[in-house]
Amino acid sequence: DNALLSPLVYYGLEDGSITGFYKAAETSIGYYREPGNSGYAADDPLMEKHLKSCIDGSGSQVDCLLSPGNQYIQCIEDCKLKLCPDEDSQADCQSTDEECLMKQKWCPQYTIATLTEEEDQSEKRGYIPLTNYCHDMNGRFTQEEGMAVKVYTPSTYDLSRVVDPDGQSTVHQLSTCYHSDGTTPVNRTLSGEYAFCGGKDCDNTFAGGYSSYEYDPRYRPWYIQTKDLQKPIWMDPFIFFGSDGKGIVMGITVTQPIYDAVDGKNVFAGVLAVDYRFEDIANFLIDSYKDTTTSVAIFEDKEPYHIIALSTGTPSTLAVLSADPTQPCPESGDAECQPVRLKMSDLADKQPSDVILSKAMQKHKDQNFPAELITVRESKSVGSDFYLSQSVAYEQKGAANLRWRVIINSPNEISNSDSIEVGNPLFGVIFAVGLMGFA
């Protein structure tokens, strides 16, 4: 049931739809966006079902209207298919070269437009919202009284592991689904011919939907880069959408393009994405080493060696005031804050186990990260404890842009091997990190 082995999986498609689940603190949120393009004329009667599907914090209906600066998809020649921009697709294939032709992919053509002040004043444009939903213990969207998952054990996300055949769970607390104001129960019955129910007229598309906002996966970085490269990608660490700068949700996303076969062509259909939150990786390390004297650090294998996760409990990211990054973000108030990622060198003034990790990292670096064990003293004092430390690089094969390094420190009396074998504490770390990739 470890969180590291239960990443968040979702997908966005070229029709603009997206669905998945998201962990926030100790609660779980489902989300869904209907297919279609935003930027439609607000007075278009065919789009009224989307225009009227937004709500405010108390659940009252509001029009889904774009604001100046918002983006939207604008088709080129009705989103006509064209060879994708990646190297394989742009190859000059001969008509008889089947191998070359099979590597080519076709992409719908569109641009990402931005609504200007002048355009907004001349014509109001609407958007198709992404809706956040309450869900029950089986992951179904619900607004049934007392059936929405309110609190769950953070390290347990795979519902099938914890819900017994009778529908009972020992790790979930159930409640009624409320709108964002926290007091108004959700009771939505908006009807229309929605894709959610196969294009038929229905009134349950937004049942359990407690908030809505403007979002389209096609102009998010994880989607755009995957479409451009047409291969799996490990994104650089970033703040996940919806983070507010105080409750920082820093993580990393790996993506995989997905395709449809259309008239013998490989047509790009969308992106499958998997999110790993740094705090989940840290929780894995903390749980694994809480009863030991071993400490572990995972960090980026490039300058300035930003931290991914630590077994010591020290966070890898801090929230600071945007106006004065030297000051921590206050827990209350409306101050604007921003995240700052810690480097391995920043551990030099933290708790003792962090200091040892920082010293070990510097010594490994000075020796060009040798494969052999090195020794690290707690201090220069005579008789001070010393540790054996090993460093291993981890690079995800078959996917771009991921290279991390793992350092493990163990007191000398429990470290008697100069290699990583089954049973060695570091073996477990490498094995778990390896599970993060696609098979």
Side-chain angles (χ1 to χ4, degrees):
D1 290 340
N2 199 287
L4 179 62
L5 307 182
S6 300
L8 306 183
V9 182
Y10 55 97
Y11 62 87
L13 300 179
E14 280 289 79
D15 63 8
S17 62
I18 184 171
T19 189
F21 290 87
Y22 177 73
K23 289 198 301 185
E26 293 184 352
T27 191
S28 176
I29 301 165
Y31 55 88
Y32 169 71
R33 181 192 189 272
E34 281 276 299
N37 295 335
S38 298
Y40 56 84
D43 57 1
D44 182 348
L46 295 178
M47 302 301 286
E48 184 176 10
K49 65 179 181 181
H50 296 304
L51 182 71
K52 301 299 182 181
S53 63
C54 287
I55 54 175
D56 63 16
S58 62
S60 298
Q61 187 273 321
V62 294
D63 287 348
C64 304
L65 292 174
L66 289 173
S67 300
N70 286 157
Q71 296 176 304
Y72 61 94
I73 297 298
Q74 199 166 52
C75 278
I76 299 175
E77 297 183 52
D78 200 27
C79 288
K80 179 181 178 180
L81 293 179
K82 185 178 179 180
L83 286 170
C84 297
D86 63 290
E87 184 177 349
D88 285 341
S89 299
Q90 291 297 315
D92 185 13
C93 298
Q94 300 298 315
S95 60
T96 57
D97 190 345
E98 294 186 6
E99 183 178 356
C100 181
L101 293 171
M102 284 298 295
K103 292 181 179 180
Q104 290 186 321
K105 298 96 176 177
W106 296 78
C107 290
Q109 295 302 292
Y110 53 78
T111 60
I112 301 174
T114 301
L115 185 67
T116 65
E117 293 276 1
E118 294 75 15
E119 291 170 334
D120 184 56
Q121 291 175 4
S122 64
E123 180 184 37
K124 295 299 180 181
R125 294 178 179 267
Y127 65 84
I128 298 175
L130 186 147
T131 301
N132 284 337
Y133 291 82
C134 298
H135 67 79
D136 63 18
M137 289 190 299
N138 293 304
R140 295 185 293 257
F141 297 162
T142 185
Q143 58 188 25
E144 184 178 351
E145 184 177 357
M147 295 303 293
V149 171
K150 180 65 176 177
V151 178
Y152 71 107
T153 302
S155 64
T156 304
Y157 194 71
D158 186 346
L159 299 179
S160 64
R161 299 183 188 179
V162 297
V163 179
D164 63 29
D166 295 329
Q168 302 300 311
S169 168
T170 59
V171 301
H172 296 87
Q173 295 179 25
L174 302 181
S175 179
T176 296
C177 183
Y178 293 99
H179 286 289
S180 299
D181 62 6
T183 59
T184 307
V186 175
N187 182 25
R188 301 187 66 186
T189 57
L190 181 66
S191 63
E193 296 179 351
Y194 291 103
F196 184 86
C197 31
K200 299 178 181 179
D201 188 81
C202 62
D203 63 1
N204 65 336
T205 299
F206 300 99
Y210 65 86
S211 66
S212 58
Y213 51 96
E214 193 279 318
Y215 181 95
D216 189 319
R218 293 170 292 180
Y219 51 72
R220 293 295 294 169
W222 57 269
Y223 195 100
I224 294 172
Q225 291 187 33
T226 306
K227 181 177 180 179
D228 287 345
L229 297 177
Q230 293 296 312
K231 65 179 182 180
I233 302 172
W234 283 91
M235 304 293 294
D236 286 331
F238 65 102
I239 300 294
F240 289 161
F241 184 84
S243 303
D244 61 8
K246 296 183 181 179
I248 292 174
V249 183
M250 176 71 75
I252 191 167
T253 297
V254 60
T255 63
Q256 171 79 48
I258 50 182
Y259 302 95
D260 285 333
V262 180
D263 298 330
K265 297 178 179 178
N266 292 319
V267 176
F268 174 71
V271 177
L272 174 69
V274 182
D275 284 351
Y276 294 93
R277 307 193 316 171
F278 287 175
E279 66 179 274
D280 288 342
I281 302 175
N283 287 338
F284 170 82
L285 295 179
I286 293 168
D287 289 345
S288 299
Y289 295 93
K290 60 185 177 183
D291 296 323
T292 75
T293 53
T294 296
S295 56
V296 179
I298 303 176
F299 54 95
E300 293 180 348
D301 193 23
K302 61 182 180 181
E303 294 281 2
Y305 303 106
H306 281 125
I307 297 169
I308 302 297
L310 301 166
S311 67
T312 62
T314 299
S316 63
T317 310
L318 298 177
V320 299
L321 289 172
S322 297
D324 184 1
T326 64
Q327 298 298 315
C329 184
E331 295 184 2
S332 60
D334 298 324
E336 184 176 344
C337 299
Q338 65 185 33
V340 173
R341 297 185 63 193
L342 294 183
K343 306 180 291 292
M344 286 297 292
S345 58
D346 293 328
L347 299 179
D349 59 356
K350 304 295 183 183
Q351 58 183 309
S353 54
D354 288 329
V355 174
I356 297 297
L357 283 170
S358 179
K359 289 182 177 181
M361 184 273 171
Q362 187 60 52
K363 192 167 183 179
H364 279 292
K365 179 185 175 184
D366 291 343
Q367 298 181 23
N368 199 26
F369 296 103
E372 298 79 15
L373 292 168
I374 65 170
T375 59
V376 183
R377 282 197 173 275
E378 189 172 19
S379 70
K380 294 182 179 180
S381 302
V382 176
S384 66
D385 292 337
F386 73 93
Y387 296 75
L388 294 185
S389 177
Q390 188 160 14
S391 159
V392 173
Y394 175 79
E395 185 172 13
Q396 181 64 45
K397 302 299 182 183
N401 200 37
L402 179 73
R403 185 177 170 85
W404 290 352
R405 186 165 288 277
V406 182
I407 283 180
I408 184 167
N409 291 342
S410 295
N412 179 49
E413 62 270 17
I414 67 169
S415 300
N416 54 17
S417 173
D418 61 357
S419 63
I420 298 174
E421 301 171 345
V422 176
N424 184 299
L426 187 52
F427 179 86
V429 176
I430 297 298
F431 177 75
V433 173
L435 290 177
M436 294 175 60
F438 289 112

